Amino acid sequence: MALTGIQIYKLLPQTNCKECGYPTCLAFAMKLAAKQVSLELCPYASEEAETALGAASVPPIRKVVIGYHEQKIELGEEVVLFRHEKTFYHPTALALGVPDDFSDDDFDRAVKTITGASYERAGETITINMLALMDRSNETAVYVERAKRAVELSPLPLVLVSDDPDRAGAAAEVIGNHAGLLCGATAESVTAFARIAKSQKLPLVLRAPDLEALGSLVESARSAGVEDILIDPGFSAQADVLRHHTLIRRIALDRVGKEFGYPSFLSIPPQTDPREAALIASLGISKYAGVVLISDWRTWQFLPLLTLRQNIYTDPQKPLQVDGGIYPVGEANEKSPVYVTTNFSLTYFMVSTEIDGSGQPAWLVIVDAEGMSVLTAWSAGKFGGELVGKFVRESGIAEKVSHRKVIIPGYVAVIQGEMEDALPGWEVIVGPQEAADIPAFVKDVWLPMKK
Ligand code: SF4
């Protein structure tokens, strides 16, 4: 269990010598509790403190690495149940199934579709992480050939999904570093799977029908020498998915059951209704699954699931943001409108996309509001009239346009008067509340105004 600031303070020398760079031992203890500094900064820390903090700082969920080089995926090391308590570190990896009994064309098409799924959103590229080779042929030669073909077509790590450890092992041996995970070990097959996981140096997914059986399975795999483990509590009703993955996270964080200190694995079975599969996958992404495998997928599921994952795994203490300043959208010139908004990344990309779609190039003045959205920034005093007016005045936009009109977001119409006071000679126009209404605003307000 993590130590509180007061518990850590009691372990420190309490001399307030300031050599750690903090004015008091208590201030330093608070920073240690928030995991923002290391104990090494205190030259007088006792062995007792080092031992206590060392044990408390080991993440309760083991870090498991899948794949190699650019395709490396890290899972685990989570320390909280709720994102706002600190942050989530490693996003859920999405794996999509490709059955080995597909026709040649269907197989190639599926692999290429998964591999090519890539979207730019809020300044980041979001993609599917892994291919999962599903053993439906029950033939080792077919499975191995498909594994070879998959790695010819795709750099993504391959999850080898089979009930037959020898078949999965044969494929792993042939594709080497491209193999990402062995998936299929149960109570009956754990010994054989563990042998292959060790010889191929692959993480192993263990599956059991309930948490008690899963705990025993983990003990078996560990006794067989496997350290990199993912735990799959099986699939039944949606409510059980939520309950099992939440319980696994809770038990791990409370350090009451070491056998649950591993990333969890959610496998959505073949022939699940696509809408239900999307719903269950979103449950897994939201509630603690380290990997979500969708056996039968549809391309329309990709973007919503990747968007959800990006939203949940953004550090709440560091919102995605762009730099403050002036950004041209399209071929902006001296007659182009000037819009003002905050530097929250999503706001920037939504507004610039809608300006682009309006057909009217423009200047976008981005105010540094610590990555907050417009209303949040205004409520926090980071997007007030005086402040925004000063930012626009000092931004240099006056040298880029011949007019003196600036458009503010409709949600903060209240800053209009104060901003005009801070921007002598400028007319402050209240724009639309929603970015989606910018094209209509250009047509109905901006263009008639120019006539
Ligand atoms: Fe306290 Fe150590 Fe910092 Fe000195 S260096 S103030 S003893 S925590």
Side-chain angles (χ1 to χ4, degrees):
M1 189 109 41
L3 297 178
T4 65
I6 297 298
Q7 286 169 325
I8 295 172
Y9 172 68
K10 288 178 182 165
L11 295 166
L12 294 175
Q14 303 174 22
T15 57
N16 300 334
C17 72
K18 301 185 178 60
E19 285 188 42
C20 55
Y22 291 88
T24 61
C25 294
L26 182 60
F28 184 61
M30 293 301 175
K31 288 286 173 186
L32 277 171
K35 298 189 168 48
Q36 292 169 341
V37 294
S38 155
L39 183 64
E40 289 162 13
L41 290 177
C42 172
Y44 309 111
S46 65
E47 268 183 37
E48 186 198 357
E50 283 173 16
T51 308
L53 279 170
S57 65
V58 174
I61 300 174
R62 183 182 170 86
K63 177 178 174 180
V64 174
V65 180
I66 299 171
Y68 293 83
H69 306 306
E70 310 88 66
Q71 301 299 335
K72 193 166 78 174
I73 301 159
E74 295 184 344
L75 305 171
E77 285 193 314
E78 303 300 344
V79 294
V80 292
L81 200 56
F82 302 107
R83 190 185 75 151
H84 62 265
E85 292 175 307
K86 187 168 172 60
T87 188
F88 292 158
Y89 288 101
H90 294 129
T92 305
L94 275 179
L96 299 183
V98 192
D100 68 343
D101 62 353
F102 265 4
S103 69
D104 289 351
D105 284 350
D106 286 349
F107 187 85
D108 286 8
R109 196 176 307 116
V111 171
K112 286 177 186 172
T113 301
I114 295 167
T115 309
S118 175
Y119 309 88
E120 294 297 322
R121 184 172 180 272
E124 290 187 339
T125 304
I126 49 179
T127 60
I128 305 294
N129 308 95
M130 293 186 280
L131 294 165
L133 185 61
M134 316 297 290
D135 175 12
R136 292 198 197 158
S137 68
N138 285 321
E139 289 182 34
T140 300
V142 173
Y143 194 72
V144 170
E145 278 311 305
R146 288 304 193 202
K148 280 161 67 180
R149 181 63 180 156
V151 303
E152 275 169 28
L153 295 173
S154 172
L156 298 182
L158 203 57
V159 185
L160 297 167
V161 185
S162 175
D163 293 335
D164 183 336
D166 293 332
R167 190 167 301 140
E173 199 166 335
V174 167
I175 62 173
N177 284 355
H178 285 88
L181 264 180
L182 280 177
C183 179
T186 60
E188 294 72 39
S189 58
V190 66
T191 307
F193 266 109
R195 181 172 36 80
I196 293 162
K198 272 174 62 190
S199 67
Q200 299 296 327
K201 297 190 173 54
L202 285 174
L204 179 61
V205 182
L206 305 174
R207 183 186 309 141
D210 58 64
L211 293 188
E212 195 178 339
L214 195 53
S216 308
L217 201 51
V218 171
E219 288 301 335
S220 304
R222 283 206 304 219
S223 327
V226 179
E227 293 178 344
D228 289 330
I229 291 170
L230 282 87
I231 48 180
D232 177 357
F235 182 88
S236 47
Q238 289 169 21
D240 288 334
V241 170
L242 178 62
R243 184 161 48 243
H244 288 154
H245 288 265
T246 303
L247 270 173
I248 287 170
R249 172 66 66 91
R250 275 189 185 277
I251 294 169
L253 294 188
D254 290 346
R255 297 183 194 261
V256 292
K258 278 192 170 176
E259 61 275 30
F260 294 104
Y262 297 95
S264 68
F265 188 94
L266 168 60
S267 177
I268 302 170
Q271 293 164 4
T272 303
D273 173 81
R275 283 167 298 183
E276 192 186 351
L279 183 68
I280 296 162
S282 63
L283 203 57
I285 290 168
S286 310
K287 289 294 178 186
Y288 315 129
V291 174
V292 170
L293 161 60
I294 309 177
S295 303
D296 285 341
W297 45 268
R298 301 289 186 279
T299 50
W300 59 257
Q301 296 164 337
F302 295 1
L303 186 56
L305 292 176
L306 292 172
T307 299
L308 174 70
R309 182 180 68 182
Q310 186 189 34
N311 289 344
I312 289 177
Y313 283 87
T314 299
D315 186 342
Q317 294 166 39
K318 291 183 211 147
L320 290 175
Q321 51 189 284
V322 294
D323 293 334
I326 304 171
Y327 293 80
V329 183
E331 300 287 323
N333 61 32
E334 60 176 18
K335 294 191 172 18
S336 300
V338 176
Y339 295 88
V340 178
T341 191
T342 70
N343 68 330
F344 178 42
S345 206
L346 200 54
T347 301
Y348 167 80
F349 284 102
M350 281 167 60
V351 171
S352 57
T353 301
E354 293 299 338
I355 291 174
D356 207 27
S358 75
Q360 170 68 64
W363 299 98
L364 195 46
V365 177
I366 296 296
V367 177
D368 184 354
E370 298 178 11
M372 294 181 212
S373 60
V374 169
L375 271 179
T376 311
W378 174 74
S379 321
K382 307 288 179 191
F383 204 70
E386 192 180 340
L387 202 147
V388 177
K390 181 169 179 286
F391 192 94
V392 172
R393 201 172 65 232
E394 294 174 355
S395 68
I397 190 67
E399 283 99 65
K400 295 189 182 295
V401 291
S402 54
H403 62 82
R404 290 293 179 262
K405 296 183 196 316
V406 57
I407 303 159
I408 60 172
Y411 278 121
V412 287
V414 67
I415 72 171
Q416 183 183 30
E418 208 180 30
M419 197 171 149
E420 281 183 338
D421 291 344
L423 260 182
W426 284 74
E427 181 185 353
V428 177
I429 299 164
V430 176
Q433 290 189 344
E434 303 294 341
D437 293 327
I438 286 176
F441 171 82
V442 167
K443 184 163 154 277
D444 299 338
V445 180
W446 177 257
L447 292 176
M449 198 184 292
K450 286 174 63 190
K451 286 179 186 159

